[in-house]
């Protein structure tokens, strides 16, 4: 949020400069700042007068986000007697983009507040509760006001009603309250199916049952919450909410509470702890957090927000919550590195490998390039299933994502793959990753070779490394690390096969020759070593490099079988 305020304030500053260099009139733009009574008003009509007014508005916002340096800079610009010599470059599109971003934040924040209010003031409510000895029903609509002590209904809006009934061991009582055309409340009391006078028995029955009704409903929730805040602030309000029956009812009050302008970031921490302590339903918690991101974000309570999501016990609901956050464009577009850091660390608390993998993959389907590399790597490593981990990394390297990642992120994804315990899955994952080869740096390619060398199966490792015949390996360090990876193949046959495949590649060149020859010494089989040397012999002769020819002969002499040794020497002379 601080970054958002900085961007808005910077936009104000740019407009201020513009006002000194242009006499063009502009529209007034008003942006309300969520969680406060402050606004930014932008106008370019009156030069010095408007600049001073904008500076004052900017100072109000700067006070909230402690931006003293920018505040002082604006003051200097306003008081400067002459600015004609200053060369100013205005990026109008960037300014408009920042304004649109701020307006979107405000819109989303306001939408969440209105959603909470609508939940508390739905036009029609019906509750029904039954056990072995009694049944309880409540029907009401319209706006209902309670007395301050919550022991009496003070008013009901036009066309509204309040009907409550309770049966105990077959004894039924019902009270119906409706306003007449003048707004005066009329009461009807029923015993069984017969209407009887309301006063005194009906009045006493309503007085006795009303506290139970209020405790188990959201009737007049907003005014009830306001009363508690006046009496003792957030602490009093939280104690009151904890005594309300029904988790859905509690959630409605919590939403109204966090939507208040007078709730601070520290109070959000307290409220969130209370929410996760008093609401055990994973579904209710997931819905609560999905619908309150903007409020937490704008009140600088994003740490509390993600800490709250971590307390959701169901892997499915937690994953659903995190996924919906990413799928919501207005939220995703305002994610910075800190948001992604917290989001990723929260995914680590998902205990189901399937749900964690699915959540990360869904993020990859959108713009997840803001993810910090180290945390991305850690999050993937948290997936315990090799199959799900492999699927996740393959999704990251899918065609739609190949160009998106930075060098650090590519490195992180490959290092995360190293933790795949299944040789087969690791091989398949690295094969998918290879499709990104042309977008990788020299360092990333070296990490690829390092991870490839950890494949325990010779067959899987050789199958993967043979794929490199279709890719250019040009940098010296890449060539060296490729052949080091090849030398880690324990099967002579597989090692020799990889070398022969590389030698037949269109991209095989003189920079490979020495590393290739050195790699042949890792082949224990005389026959397979001879095959590998025979494959490179024509290249060595064609190079006419005495040093390479001598190195070839030295390697050939290491072949234990005299027959194979002789054949390898003959290949050099053909």
């Amino acid at each position: 949020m601080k970054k958002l305020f900085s961007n808005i304030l910077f936009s104000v500053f740019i407009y201020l400069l513009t006002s000194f260099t242009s006499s063009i009139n502009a529209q007034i733009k008003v942006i309300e700042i969520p969680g406060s009574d402050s606004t930014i008003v932008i106008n370019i009509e009156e030069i010095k007068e408007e600049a001073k007014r904008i500076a004052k508005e900017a100072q109000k916002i700067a006070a909230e986000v402690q931006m003293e340096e920018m505040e002082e800079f604006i003051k200097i610009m306003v008081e400067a007697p002459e600015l004609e010599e200053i060369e100013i470059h205005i990026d109008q599109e960037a300014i408009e983009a920042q304004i649109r971003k701020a307006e979107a934040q405000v819109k989303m924040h306001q939408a969440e507040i209105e959603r909470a209010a609508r939940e508390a003031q739905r036009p029609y409510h019906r509750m029904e509760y039954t056990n072995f000895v009694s049944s309880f029903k409540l029907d009401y609509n319209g706006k209902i006001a309670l007395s301050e002590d919550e022991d009496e209904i003070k008013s009901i809006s036009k066309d509204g009603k309040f009907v409550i009934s309770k049966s105990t061991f077959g004894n039924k009582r019902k009270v119906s309250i409706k306003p007449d055309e003048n707004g005066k409340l009329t009461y009807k009391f029923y015993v069984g199916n017969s209407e009887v006078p309301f006063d005194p028995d009906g009045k006493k029955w309503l007085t006795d049952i009303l506290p139970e009704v209020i405790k188990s409903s959201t009737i007049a929730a907003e005014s009830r919450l306001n009363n508690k805040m006046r009496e003792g602030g957030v602490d009093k309000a939280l104690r009151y909410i904890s005594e309300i029956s029904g988790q859905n009812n509690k959630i409605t009050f919590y939403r109204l509470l966090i939507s208040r302008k007078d709730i601070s970031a520290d109070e959000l921490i307290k409220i969130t702890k209370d929410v996760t302590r008093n609401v055990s339903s994973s579904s209710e918690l997931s819905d609560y957090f999905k619908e309150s991101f903007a409020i937490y974000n704008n009140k600088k309570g994003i740490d509390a927000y993600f800490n709250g999501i971590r307390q959701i016990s169901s892997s499915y609901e937690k994953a659903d919550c995190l996924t919906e956050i990413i799928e919501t464009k207005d939220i995703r577009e305002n994610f910075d590195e800190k948001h992604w850091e917290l989001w990723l660390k929260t995914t680590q608390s998902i205990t189901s490998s399937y749900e964690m993998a699915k959540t990360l993959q869904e993020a990859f389907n959108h713009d997840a390039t803001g993810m910090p590399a180290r945390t991305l790597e850690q999050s993937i490593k948290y997936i315990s299933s090799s199959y799900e981990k492999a699927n996740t990394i393959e999704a990251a390297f899918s065609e739609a994502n190949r160009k998106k990642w930075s060098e650090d992120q590519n490195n992180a994804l490959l290092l995360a793959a190293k933790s795949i315990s299944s040789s087969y899955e690791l091989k398949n994952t690295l094969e998918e990753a290879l499709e990104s080869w042309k977008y990788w740096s020299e360092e990333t390619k070296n990490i690829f070779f390092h991870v490839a060398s950890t494949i325990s199966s010779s067959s899987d490792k050789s199958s993967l490394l043979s794929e490199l015949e279709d890719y250019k390996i040009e940098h010296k360090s890449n060539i060296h690390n490729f052949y080091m990876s090849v030398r880690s193949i324990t099967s002579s046959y597989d090692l020799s096969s990889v070398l022969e495949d590389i030698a037949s590649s269109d991209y095989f060149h003189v920079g490979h020759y020495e590393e290739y020859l050195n790699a042949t010494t890792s082949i224990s089989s005389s026959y397979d070593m001879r095959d590998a040397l025979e494959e490179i012999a024509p290249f060595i002769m064609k190079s006419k490099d005495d040093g390479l020819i001598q190195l070839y002969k030295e390697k050939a002499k290491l072949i234990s079988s005299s027959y194979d040794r002789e054949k390898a020497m003959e290949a050099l002379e053909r």
Side-chain angles (χ1 to χ4, degrees), residues 152-187:
E152 182 183 358
I153 293 177
K154 299 295 291 183
S155 66
I156 301 176
S157 60
K158 184 180 179 182
D159 297 326
K161 69 175 182 178
F162 180 93
V163 181
I164 181 171
S165 64
K166 186 174 183 179
S167 296
T168 305
F169 296 112
N171 297 317
K172 183 178 179 180
R173 300 288 186 272
K174 182 173 79 170
V175 167
S176 173
I177 310 172
K178 294 182 180 180
D180 62 19
E181 57 186 21
N182 297 316
K184 183 180 178 180
L185 299 182
T186 61
Y187 296 79

mmCIF file of all heavy atoms in Angstrom, residues 152-187:
data_model
loop_
_atom_site.group_PDB
_atom_site.id
_atom_site.type_symbol
_atom_site.label_atom_id
_atom_site.label_comp_id
_atom_site.label_asym_id
_atom_site.label_seq_id
_atom_site.Cartn_x
_atom_site.Cartn_y
_atom_site.Cartn_z
ATOM 1 N N GLU A 152 -35.020 -4.628 23.265
ATOM 2 C CA GLU A 152 -36.287 -4.181 22.701
ATOM 3 C C GLU A 152 -36.083 -3.801 21.230
ATOM 4 O O GLU A 152 -35.039 -3.256 20.865
ATOM 5 C CB GLU A 152 -36.805 -2.978 23.479
ATOM 6 C CG GLU A 152 -38.139 -2.451 23.011
ATOM 7 C CD GLU A 152 -38.558 -1.201 23.780
ATOM 8 O OE1 GLU A 152 -37.822 -0.781 24.708
ATOM 9 O OE2 GLU A 152 -39.612 -0.639 23.433
ATOM 10 N N ILE A 153 -37.098 -4.117 20.407
ATOM 11 C CA ILE A 153 -37.071 -3.677 19.014
ATOM 12 C C ILE A 153 -37.659 -2.276 18.957
ATOM 13 O O ILE A 153 -38.812 -2.050 19.341
ATOM 14 C CB ILE A 153 -37.865 -4.644 18.119
ATOM 15 C CG1 ILE A 153 -37.148 -5.997 18.080
ATOM 16 C CG2 ILE A 153 -38.004 -4.086 16.707
ATOM 17 C CD1 ILE A 153 -37.864 -7.057 17.289
ATOM 18 N N LYS A 154 -36.866 -1.327 18.491
ATOM 19 C CA LYS A 154 -37.293 0.080 18.496
ATOM 20 C C LYS A 154 -38.060 0.441 17.240
ATOM 21 O O LYS A 154 -39.007 1.229 17.272
ATOM 22 C CB LYS A 154 -36.069 1.004 18.623
ATOM 23 C CG LYS A 154 -35.287 0.807 19.897
ATOM 24 C CD LYS A 154 -36.076 1.187 21.141
ATOM 25 C CE LYS A 154 -36.301 2.692 21.219
ATOM 26 N NZ LYS A 154 -37.016 3.074 22.467
ATOM 27 N N SER A 155 -37.661 -0.091 16.088
ATOM 28 C CA SER A 155 -38.349 0.251 14.841
ATOM 29 C C SER A 155 -38.082 -0.801 13.775
ATOM 30 O O SER A 155 -37.096 -1.539 13.848
ATOM 31 C CB SER A 155 -37.895 1.621 14.334
ATOM 32 O OG SER A 155 -36.524 1.596 13.965
ATOM 33 N N ILE A 156 -39.000 -0.848 12.814
ATOM 34 C CA ILE A 156 -38.852 -1.695 11.629
ATOM 35 C C ILE A 156 -39.221 -0.849 10.423
ATOM 36 O O ILE A 156 -40.222 -0.119 10.450
ATOM 37 C CB ILE A 156 -39.778 -2.936 11.708
ATOM 38 C CG1 ILE A 156 -39.457 -3.775 12.953
ATOM 39 C CG2 ILE A 156 -39.621 -3.798 10.460
ATOM 40 C CD1 ILE A 156 -40.397 -4.951 13.156
ATOM 41 N N SER A 157 -38.416 -0.942 9.373
ATOM 42 C CA SER A 157 -38.685 -0.122 8.186
ATOM 43 C C SER A 157 -39.992 -0.539 7.522
ATOM 44 O O SER A 157 -40.524 -1.628 7.761
ATOM 45 C CB SER A 157 -37.524 -0.242 7.195
ATOM 46 O OG SER A 157 -37.364 -1.583 6.786
ATOM 47 N N LYS A 158 -40.516 0.344 6.688
ATOM 48 C CA LYS A 158 -41.788 0.120 6.012
ATOM 49 C C LYS A 158 -41.776 -1.212 5.251
ATOM 50 O O LYS A 158 -40.795 -1.546 4.588
ATOM 51 C CB LYS A 158 -42.064 1.271 5.044
ATOM 52 C CG LYS A 158 -43.410 1.193 4.358
ATOM 53 C CD LYS A 158 -43.599 2.375 3.407
ATOM 54 C CE LYS A 158 -44.945 2.286 2.705
ATOM 55 N NZ LYS A 158 -45.138 3.387 1.744
ATOM 56 N N ASP A 159 -42.868 -1.935 5.360
ATOM 57 C CA ASP A 159 -43.050 -3.246 4.720
ATOM 58 C C ASP A 159 -42.143 -4.323 5.309
ATOM 59 O O ASP A 159 -42.058 -5.430 4.773
ATOM 60 C CB ASP A 159 -42.809 -3.170 3.204
ATOM 61 C CG ASP A 159 -43.811 -2.247 2.518
ATOM 62 O OD1 ASP A 159 -44.964 -2.207 2.979
ATOM 63 O OD2 ASP A 159 -43.421 -1.585 1.538
ATOM 64 N N GLY A 160 -41.481 -4.012 6.412
ATOM 65 C CA GLY A 160 -40.666 -5.015 7.073
ATOM 66 C C GLY A 160 -41.486 -5.810 8.074
ATOM 67 O O GLY A 160 -42.657 -5.521 8.326
ATOM 68 N N LYS A 161 -40.859 -6.817 8.669
ATOM 69 C CA LYS A 161 -41.552 -7.620 9.679
ATOM 70 C C LYS A 161 -40.531 -8.342 10.543
ATOM 71 O O LYS A 161 -39.350 -8.463 10.199
ATOM 72 C CB LYS A 161 -42.470 -8.643 9.013
ATOM 73 C CG LYS A 161 -41.736 -9.744 8.269
ATOM 74 C CD LYS A 161 -42.694 -10.801 7.724
ATOM 75 C CE LYS A 161 -41.920 -11.916 7.016
ATOM 76 N NZ LYS A 161 -42.808 -12.979 6.510
ATOM 77 N N PHE A 162 -40.999 -8.823 11.673
ATOM 78 C CA PHE A 162 -40.187 -9.618 12.586
ATOM 79 C C PHE A 162 -41.115 -10.668 13.184
ATOM 80 O O PHE A 162 -42.044 -10.342 13.929
ATOM 81 C CB PHE A 162 -39.589 -8.732 13.681
ATOM 82 C CG PHE A 162 -38.744 -9.476 14.670
ATOM 83 C CD1 PHE A 162 -37.382 -9.596 14.500
ATOM 84 C CD2 PHE A 162 -39.314 -10.062 15.791
ATOM 85 C CE1 PHE A 162 -36.595 -10.273 15.416
ATOM 86 C CE2 PHE A 162 -38.540 -10.747 16.718
ATOM 87 C CZ PHE A 162 -37.180 -10.851 16.526
ATOM 88 N N VAL A 163 -40.903 -11.933 12.836
ATOM 89 C CA VAL A 163 -41.769 -13.015 13.308
ATOM 90 C C VAL A 163 -40.894 -14.076 13.953
ATOM 91 O O VAL A 163 -39.977 -14.600 13.321
ATOM 92 C CB VAL A 163 -42.591 -13.639 12.161
ATOM 93 C CG1 VAL A 163 -43.496 -14.750 12.697
ATOM 94 C CG2 VAL A 163 -43.400 -12.579 11.437
ATOM 95 N N ILE A 164 -41.219 -14.396 15.213
ATOM 96 C CA ILE A 164 -40.445 -15.391 15.929
ATOM 97 C C ILE A 164 -41.375 -16.406 16.564
ATOM 98 O O ILE A 164 -42.425 -16.051 17.100
ATOM 99 C CB ILE A 164 -39.550 -14.723 17.001
ATOM 100 C CG1 ILE A 164 -38.721 -15.774 17.718
ATOM 101 C CG2 ILE A 164 -40.350 -13.883 17.965
ATOM 102 C CD1 ILE A 164 -37.674 -15.165 18.626
ATOM 103 N N SER A 165 -41.018 -17.689 16.462
ATOM 104 C CA SER A 165 -41.844 -18.723 17.076
ATOM 105 C C SER A 165 -40.951 -19.793 17.686
ATOM 106 O O SER A 165 -39.830 -20.032 17.222
ATOM 107 C CB SER A 165 -42.773 -19.349 16.040
ATOM 108 O OG SER A 165 -42.034 -20.019 15.036
ATOM 109 N N LYS A 166 -41.478 -20.413 18.749
ATOM 110 C CA LYS A 166 -40.726 -21.460 19.420
ATOM 111 C C LYS A 166 -41.694 -22.493 19.973
ATOM 112 O O LYS A 166 -42.720 -22.148 20.556
ATOM 113 C CB LYS A 166 -39.878 -20.878 20.550
ATOM 114 C CG LYS A 166 -38.960 -21.904 21.208
ATOM 115 C CD LYS A 166 -38.049 -21.242 22.225
ATOM 116 C CE LYS A 166 -37.094 -22.269 22.824
ATOM 117 N NZ LYS A 166 -36.173 -21.656 23.819
ATOM 118 N N SER A 167 -41.368 -23.772 19.753
ATOM 119 C CA SER A 167 -42.181 -24.866 20.287
ATOM 120 C C SER A 167 -41.339 -25.692 21.235
ATOM 121 O O SER A 167 -40.217 -26.089 20.902
ATOM 122 C CB SER A 167 -42.692 -25.764 19.147
ATOM 123 O OG SER A 167 -43.557 -25.050 18.299
ATOM 124 N N THR A 168 -41.871 -25.931 22.424
ATOM 125 C CA THR A 168 -41.179 -26.750 23.412
ATOM 126 C C THR A 168 -42.143 -27.805 23.924
ATOM 127 O O THR A 168 -43.194 -27.472 24.490
ATOM 128 C CB THR A 168 -40.668 -25.888 24.585
ATOM 129 O OG1 THR A 168 -39.854 -24.833 24.076
ATOM 130 C CG2 THR A 168 -39.853 -26.737 25.564
ATOM 131 N N PHE A 169 -41.796 -29.070 23.683
ATOM 132 C CA PHE A 169 -42.666 -30.185 24.062
ATOM 133 C C PHE A 169 -44.090 -29.976 23.540
ATOM 134 O O PHE A 169 -45.076 -30.233 24.233
ATOM 135 C CB PHE A 169 -42.693 -30.364 25.588
ATOM 136 C CG PHE A 169 -41.363 -30.735 26.180
ATOM 137 C CD1 PHE A 169 -40.681 -29.839 26.996
ATOM 138 C CD2 PHE A 169 -40.775 -31.960 25.897
ATOM 139 C CE1 PHE A 169 -39.459 -30.177 27.539
ATOM 140 C CE2 PHE A 169 -39.548 -32.304 26.458
ATOM 141 C CZ PHE A 169 -38.888 -31.406 27.267
ATOM 142 N N GLY A 170 -44.209 -29.459 22.325
ATOM 143 C CA GLY A 170 -45.524 -29.273 21.711
ATOM 144 C C GLY A 170 -46.208 -27.975 22.053
ATOM 145 O O GLY A 170 -47.257 -27.645 21.475
ATOM 146 N N ASN A 171 -45.665 -27.202 22.997
ATOM 147 C CA ASN A 171 -46.247 -25.900 23.357
ATOM 148 C C ASN A 171 -45.651 -24.817 22.461
ATOM 149 O O ASN A 171 -44.475 -24.481 22.574
ATOM 150 C CB ASN A 171 -45.982 -25.578 24.831
ATOM 151 C CG ASN A 171 -46.635 -26.585 25.764
ATOM 152 O OD1 ASN A 171 -47.777 -26.962 25.538
ATOM 153 N ND2 ASN A 171 -45.901 -27.021 26.789
ATOM 154 N N LYS A 172 -46.467 -24.280 21.572
ATOM 155 C CA LYS A 172 -45.984 -23.317 20.579
ATOM 156 C C LYS A 172 -46.341 -21.894 20.978
ATOM 157 O O LYS A 172 -47.474 -21.598 21.392
ATOM 158 C CB LYS A 172 -46.585 -23.627 19.210
ATOM 159 C CG LYS A 172 -46.093 -22.729 18.101
ATOM 160 C CD LYS A 172 -46.710 -23.129 16.757
ATOM 161 C CE LYS A 172 -46.234 -22.219 15.637
ATOM 162 N NZ LYS A 172 -46.840 -22.597 14.332
ATOM 163 N N ARG A 173 -45.358 -20.985 20.821
ATOM 164 C CA ARG A 173 -45.563 -19.559 21.051
ATOM 165 C C ARG A 173 -45.021 -18.802 19.840
ATOM 166 O O ARG A 173 -44.002 -19.185 19.264
ATOM 167 C CB ARG A 173 -44.821 -19.077 22.303
ATOM 168 C CG ARG A 173 -45.248 -19.761 23.601
ATOM 169 C CD ARG A 173 -46.625 -19.291 24.040
ATOM 170 N NE ARG A 173 -46.972 -19.827 25.344
ATOM 171 C CZ ARG A 173 -47.563 -20.988 25.551
ATOM 172 N NH1 ARG A 173 -47.843 -21.774 24.501
ATOM 173 N NH2 ARG A 173 -47.853 -21.396 26.771
ATOM 174 N N LYS A 174 -45.687 -17.746 19.464
ATOM 175 C CA LYS A 174 -45.240 -16.943 18.320
ATOM 176 C C LYS A 174 -45.583 -15.488 18.534
ATOM 177 O O LYS A 174 -46.671 -15.154 19.004
ATOM 178 C CB LYS A 174 -45.882 -17.423 17.014
ATOM 179 C CG LYS A 174 -45.400 -16.652 15.783
ATOM 180 C CD LYS A 174 -45.909 -17.255 14.490
ATOM 181 C CE LYS A 174 -47.327 -16.870 14.201
ATOM 182 N NZ LYS A 174 -47.754 -17.270 12.827
ATOM 183 N N VAL A 175 -44.631 -14.597 18.164
ATOM 184 C CA VAL A 175 -44.853 -13.156 18.177
ATOM 185 C C VAL A 175 -44.574 -12.613 16.784
ATOM 186 O O VAL A 175 -43.538 -12.934 16.186
ATOM 187 C CB VAL A 175 -43.965 -12.436 19.213
ATOM 188 C CG1 VAL A 175 -43.965 -10.929 18.988
ATOM 189 C CG2 VAL A 175 -44.425 -12.748 20.629
ATOM 190 N N SER A 176 -45.515 -11.805 16.292
ATOM 191 C CA SER A 176 -45.347 -11.141 14.998
ATOM 192 C C SER A 176 -45.357 -9.635 15.223
ATOM 193 O O SER A 176 -46.269 -9.108 15.871
ATOM 194 C CB SER A 176 -46.487 -11.543 14.060
ATOM 195 O OG SER A 176 -46.436 -10.783 12.867
ATOM 196 N N ILE A 177 -44.321 -8.947 14.699
ATOM 197 C CA ILE A 177 -44.213 -7.497 14.859
ATOM 198 C C ILE A 177 -44.105 -6.870 13.476
ATOM 199 O O ILE A 177 -43.231 -7.243 12.695
ATOM 200 C CB ILE A 177 -42.985 -7.098 15.710
ATOM 201 C CG1 ILE A 177 -42.927 -7.901 17.009
ATOM 202 C CG2 ILE A 177 -42.984 -5.604 15.984
ATOM 203 C CD1 ILE A 177 -41.657 -7.692 17.798
ATOM 204 N N LYS A 178 -44.992 -5.907 13.200
ATOM 205 C CA LYS A 178 -44.972 -5.194 11.923
ATOM 206 C C LYS A 178 -45.251 -3.714 12.155
ATOM 207 O O LYS A 178 -45.965 -3.363 13.096
ATOM 208 C CB LYS A 178 -46.020 -5.766 10.968
ATOM 209 C CG LYS A 178 -45.773 -7.189 10.525
ATOM 210 C CD LYS A 178 -46.843 -7.662 9.548
ATOM 211 C CE LYS A 178 -46.592 -9.101 9.113
ATOM 212 N NZ LYS A 178 -47.615 -9.585 8.157
ATOM 213 N N PRO A 179 -44.693 -2.855 11.303
ATOM 214 C CA PRO A 179 -44.995 -1.425 11.430
ATOM 215 C C PRO A 179 -46.301 -1.108 10.712
ATOM 216 O O PRO A 179 -46.608 -1.695 9.671
ATOM 217 C CB PRO A 179 -43.803 -0.767 10.740
ATOM 218 C CG PRO A 179 -43.392 -1.747 9.696
ATOM 219 C CD PRO A 179 -43.676 -3.109 10.263
ATOM 220 N N ASP A 180 -47.096 -0.149 11.280
ATOM 221 C CA ASP A 180 -48.284 0.292 10.543
ATOM 222 C C ASP A 180 -47.854 1.376 9.564
ATOM 223 O O ASP A 180 -46.666 1.657 9.397
ATOM 224 C CB ASP A 180 -49.382 0.766 11.502
ATOM 225 C CG ASP A 180 -48.949 1.963 12.348
ATOM 226 O OD1 ASP A 180 -47.962 2.645 11.964
ATOM 227 O OD2 ASP A 180 -49.577 2.219 13.390
ATOM 228 N N GLU A 181 -48.822 1.992 8.901
ATOM 229 C CA GLU A 181 -48.482 2.981 7.864
ATOM 230 C C GLU A 181 -47.789 4.211 8.428
ATOM 231 O O GLU A 181 -47.134 4.966 7.695
ATOM 232 C CB GLU A 181 -49.754 3.399 7.116
ATOM 233 C CG GLU A 181 -50.836 3.963 8.016
ATOM 234 C CD GLU A 181 -52.121 4.223 7.261
ATOM 235 O OE1 GLU A 181 -52.326 3.631 6.178
ATOM 236 O OE2 GLU A 181 -52.901 5.048 7.755
ATOM 237 N N ASN A 182 -47.881 4.420 9.737
ATOM 238 C CA ASN A 182 -47.205 5.550 10.386
ATOM 239 C C ASN A 182 -45.875 5.140 11.018
ATOM 240 O O ASN A 182 -45.209 5.956 11.650
ATOM 241 C CB ASN A 182 -48.102 6.159 11.463
ATOM 242 C CG ASN A 182 -49.380 6.728 10.865
ATOM 243 O OD1 ASN A 182 -49.348 7.396 9.833
ATOM 244 N ND2 ASN A 182 -50.520 6.457 11.514
ATOM 245 N N GLY A 183 -45.521 3.868 10.865
ATOM 246 C CA GLY A 183 -44.257 3.391 11.411
ATOM 247 C C GLY A 183 -44.356 2.856 12.818
ATOM 248 O O GLY A 183 -43.381 2.339 13.365
ATOM 249 N N LYS A 184 -45.539 2.952 13.448
ATOM 250 C CA LYS A 184 -45.714 2.449 14.796
ATOM 251 C C LYS A 184 -45.776 0.926 14.756
ATOM 252 O O LYS A 184 -46.443 0.333 13.918
ATOM 253 C CB LYS A 184 -46.997 3.009 15.411
ATOM 254 C CG LYS A 184 -47.218 2.576 16.846
ATOM 255 C CD LYS A 184 -48.515 3.156 17.400
ATOM 256 C CE LYS A 184 -48.758 2.675 18.823
ATOM 257 N NZ LYS A 184 -50.016 3.216 19.393
ATOM 258 N N LEU A 185 -45.109 0.276 15.702
ATOM 259 C CA LEU A 185 -45.046 -1.178 15.723
ATOM 260 C C LEU A 185 -46.336 -1.774 16.294
ATOM 261 O O LEU A 185 -46.860 -1.321 17.315
ATOM 262 C CB LEU A 185 -43.851 -1.659 16.549
ATOM 263 C CG LEU A 185 -42.462 -1.228 16.050
ATOM 264 C CD1 LEU A 185 -41.372 -1.821 16.933
ATOM 265 C CD2 LEU A 185 -42.243 -1.633 14.597
ATOM 266 N N THR A 186 -46.857 -2.799 15.615
ATOM 267 C CA THR A 186 -48.025 -3.535 16.088
ATOM 268 C C THR A 186 -47.604 -4.955 16.420
ATOM 269 O O THR A 186 -46.842 -5.580 15.672
ATOM 270 C CB THR A 186 -49.131 -3.566 15.023
ATOM 271 O OG1 THR A 186 -48.640 -4.218 13.853
ATOM 272 C CG2 THR A 186 -49.574 -2.150 14.663
ATOM 273 N N TYR A 187 -48.071 -5.456 17.547
ATOM 274 C CA TYR A 187 -47.637 -6.747 18.054
ATOM 275 C C TYR A 187 -48.808 -7.729 18.042
ATOM 276 O O TYR A 187 -49.931 -7.380 18.426
ATOM 277 C CB TYR A 187 -47.124 -6.624 19.490
ATOM 278 C CG TYR A 187 -45.890 -5.772 19.639
ATOM 279 C CD1 TYR A 187 -45.978 -4.379 19.644
ATOM 280 C CD2 TYR A 187 -44.638 -6.354 19.795
ATOM 281 C CE1 TYR A 187 -44.854 -3.591 19.797
ATOM 282 C CE2 TYR A 187 -43.502 -5.572 19.947
ATOM 283 C CZ TYR A 187 -43.611 -4.199 19.936
ATOM 284 O OH TYR A 187 -42.494 -3.427 20.089
#
